[in-house]
Amino acid sequence: MAGVAAQQPYIQCIKRTLNAALCVMNFPSQVVERHNKPEVEAATSPEVLLNPVVIARDDEQVLIESSVNSVRLSIKIRKLDALDTQITKRFMDFLERRAEHYYIMRRKPVSHNGVQYDLSLLITNDHTDTMLKDQLIDWVIAFMQDISKELSDIKIHVGVRAREVAKDYFMNFPK
């Protein structure tokens, strides 16, 4: 329970920043007529891009990049050891292969200022027109918490399985 309480200010900061960043609107391209590309991805007009915001807690980081018609949210998950790194990599590969089932997930995470993020979400003005902003923010926060919980559960299960395998292996040796 103490871990959840310690994480509350971090989560609240992400919620408030997303609430401010998700004030997006329909904005056609200034370069190509009749095109409406997410400016945070295309970066064709620097004047419509806002400064990126990094929210960090320990080794966890969230990068929020905003523009006039889209927001890109990149998440770096805390990895304490090699097992965490391997589990996170495998789990993110699993999610990226199914990105089309998650309406706002990008297939490839971004790298920003030398930091490689594990997961990226792209929210455009179309998403905010069809979904309620508060529910979208709540979904993003729940998604982040569920990923952390899932990765912790996987690590625990790997430890249990390793213990069982070692126990069965050493039972084969005579005393």
Side-chain angles (χ1 to χ4, degrees), residues 54 59 61 63 74 76 109-118:
V54 176
D59 292 335
Q61 282 187 7
L63 170 68
S74 301
K76 183 177 185 299
V110 298
S111 179
H112 182 74
N113 289 341
V115 177
Q116 179 62 42
Y117 289 89
D118 298 309

Side-chain angles (χ1 to χ4, degrees), residues 123-138:
I123 303 169
T124 64
N125 64 300
D126 293 332
H127 299 127
T128 57
D129 289 345
T130 58
M131 298 180 230
L132 295 174
K133 183 167 84 168
D134 293 335
Q135 289 179 350
L136 186 59
I137 292 169
D138 290 342

Side-chain angles (χ1 to χ4, degrees), residues 46-95:
E47 62 271 6
V48 299
L49 296 173
L50 301 173
N51 291 333
V53 176
V54 176
I55 302 168
R57 176 183 171 263
D58 298 332
D59 292 335
E60 294 176 275
Q61 282 187 7
V62 174
L63 170 68
I64 301 174
E65 299 170 285
S66 301
S67 72
V68 71
N69 68 349
S70 58
V71 173
R72 182 169 52 199
L73 176 78
S74 301
I75 304 165
K76 183 177 185 299
I77 298 168
R78 181 174 56 173
K79 296 177 258 330
L80 299 174
D81 54 17
L83 181 60
D84 278 342
T85 303
Q86 188 66 23
I87 290 171
T88 301
K89 182 182 179 316
R90 298 285 180 161
F91 192 68
M92 292 306 131
D93 288 346
F94 173 81
L95 286 177

